[in-house]
Amino acid sequence: MKAIQIPGLQQMAVVELPKPEAKAGEVLLKMEYVGFCGSDLNTFLGRNTMAKENVIPGHEIGAVIEAVGEGCPDTLQPGMVVTVNPYTNCGHCASCRNGRVNACQHNETLGVQRDGAMREYMALPWQKIIPVKGVNTRDAALIEPMSVGFHAVDRGQVTDIDTVVVFGCGMVGLGAVVRAVQRGATVIAVDLSAEKLQIAKDLGAKYGINSKEENLLEKVMEYTDGYGADCVIEAVGSPITYTGAIDIVSFTGRVVCIGYAKSGVEFQTKYFVQKELDIRGSRNANPSDFRAVQKYLENANIPMDRFVSGVYTPETAKDGMEAWAAAPAQVFRILVDFR
């Protein structure tokens, strides 16, 4: 079977691997669409220090069940459209002990610390398989990144009396926009792309701020009657957006951090104290977040084509990654078609 590897800096190769079988407790998946995410891009560019050598990337999955091994529940049947929870949890660390398995200290995400889903077939434990109804395999590959945004809104304890600022309108940020809107919050989307801001508005954001062209602090204060945002969700991973989040959040507000900044960030820590802020990390997603995204996609009347910037074959996948690296602000999701 075909698989994609990242053997070195800005390298991508199609290799042949044996087709796996579904052992006891496993489900064999036929991959149809697998998405590249930011961690894959950083691996390709040599910036992902967590990625294993010669890794097979990919953990955003739209697949069909090919076969079911012994000991799996009858609810999983060949032909079903599924996605995958791509994280592991050890069951013993502080996070697992506290029931927050999404933040397991020893997590190994598909395509990062262990080989991922950019291959024609993959066998996985049945517990990681998530059946999806009313969603095709292409759109199923969008569930995981959106679920990360859904989880961030949960971490922010967003309610209908909140004004929420979302930094970054990629797939993760749009997931946060959707979930905050679902909870009744007033949402302000911030990005450098007019196209992404328009999509955020189409998904329910009340305001959009192009921080390249507008004064972020002034606009947020205008939209919040001078109070600042009750909750800020950082889905970019830039020192500028991290410090900006502290500037625009209200006194006693919440800042939820998803993005990894690639360099150190200098803060005026007096604002942490004076504003009595809650600053929270948000990592991965929980099964409930996956279910919530699936339900949204099943019932949402939105053109999902807008979220897919390009679909490539395994042989042309490097072209897609290079295009993303050249113009990161213009890309939502790049998918590889393994059908």
Side-chain angles (χ1 to χ4, degrees), residues 149 165-178 187-193 196-197 200 209 211 216 232-238 241 258-259 329 331-332:
V165 170
V166 178
F167 273 113
C169 295
M171 283 305 303
V172 172
L174 289 179
V177 168
V178 166
V187 177
I188 304 170
V190 180
D191 204 281
L192 303 177
S193 165
K196 291 182 178 181
L197 289 172
I209 300 174
S211 54
L216 175 66
V232 180
I233 296 175
E234 200 289 330
V236 175
S238 163
T241 50
I258 309 174
V331 172
F332 285 101

Side-chain angles (χ1 to χ4, degrees), residues 158 162-169 173-174 176-178 180-181 184-191 196-197 200-201 203-211 214-235 248-250:
V158 172
D162 288 327
T163 297
V164 178
V165 170
V166 178
F167 273 113
C169 295
L174 289 179
V177 168
V178 166
V181 169
T186 300
V187 177
I188 304 170
V190 180
D191 204 281
K196 291 182 178 181
L197 289 172
K201 288 182 180 180
L203 294 175
K206 186 172 183 179
Y207 305 106
I209 300 174
N210 188 321
S211 54
E214 300 175 279
N215 185 297
L216 175 66
L217 180 60
E218 288 181 2
K219 297 303 290 187
V220 170
M221 290 303 167
E222 175 187 338
Y223 295 149
T224 61
D225 296 326
Y227 289 105
D230 301 289
C231 180
V232 180
I233 296 175
E234 200 289 330
I248 66 173
V249 71
S250 68

Side-chain angles (χ1 to χ4, degrees), residues 119-178:
R119 58 179 91 185
E120 291 184 276
Y121 296 91
M122 190 172 192
L124 290 164
W126 70 262
Q127 294 92 338
K128 296 298 181 181
I129 308 302
I130 303 173
V132 294
K133 298 179 180 179
V135 178
N136 60 41
T137 51
R138 188 202 65 176
D139 294 351
L142 305 176
I143 290 176
E144 191 275 342
M146 291 190 74
S147 73
V148 175
F150 272 47
H151 182 66
V153 171
D154 196 50
R155 289 283 293 143
Q157 296 177 298
V158 172
T159 71
D160 59 345
I161 63 172
D162 288 327
T163 297
V164 178
V165 170
V166 178
F167 273 113
C169 295
M171 283 305 303
V172 172
L174 289 179
V177 168
V178 166

Side-chain angles (χ1 to χ4, degrees), residues 9 34 40 57 64 70 81 102 122-123 150 168 211 244 250 280 308 315:
L9 179 63
V34 182
D40 300 320
V64 174
E70 294 182 2
V81 175
N102 60 292
M122 190 172 192
F150 272 47
S211 54
S250 68
R280 306 173 182 181
V308 179
E315 291 78 11

